Amino acid sequence: MNIKILTPEYVVFEGEVSSVLLPGKNGEFHIMKNHAGIVSSLIGGKVKLYVNSIDDTYAKNFTRENEKDSVFSYPIKSGVVEFNHDKGIILCE
């Protein structure tokens, strides 16, 4: 599935991931391949990408959470996510 993470200043990430864990208002939620369409607001926390590797272009934005599972995180203050047809856009600050 394809995920794009955008801030008002720049593109944080764009690429293929296995899944993404997001900080929602009612708790964290995990979006995986073939997930139903969703639009949700996000609160402060970490967006965690489950991906084999991150392109060097975007690597500076992320912290590696777990060596074994290839989990990379990006801290956000708030935002919104739209996901449909295995494509997601995360708008955040």
Side-chain angles (χ1 to χ4, degrees), residues 32-47:
M32 298 180 172
K33 189 174 181 173
N34 297 322
H35 194 284
I38 186 172
V39 174
S40 179
S41 58
L42 304 173
I43 61 168
K46 292 180 180 178
V47 172

Side-chain angles (χ1 to χ4, degrees), residues 2 4 14 25-26 33 42-43 59 61:
N2 188 280
K4 189 179 222 179
E14 183 174 11
K25 287 195 177 219
N26 294 323
K33 189 174 181 173
L42 304 173
I43 61 168
N61 301 321

Side-chain angles (χ1 to χ4, degrees), residues 7 12 14 16 52-53 57-58 62 73 80 83-84:
T7 69
V12 175
E14 183 174 11
E16 292 294 316
N52 290 335
S53 65
T57 309
Y58 307 117
F62 290 87
S73 67
V80 98
F83 185 84
N84 203 10

Side-chain angles (χ1 to χ4, degrees), residues 46-49 54 61-65 71-75:
K46 292 180 180 178
V47 172
K48 295 182 182 178
L49 301 179
I54 291 185
N61 301 321
F62 290 87
T63 303
R64 190 170 193 133
E65 290 281 317
V71 180
F72 296 85
S73 67
Y74 178 74

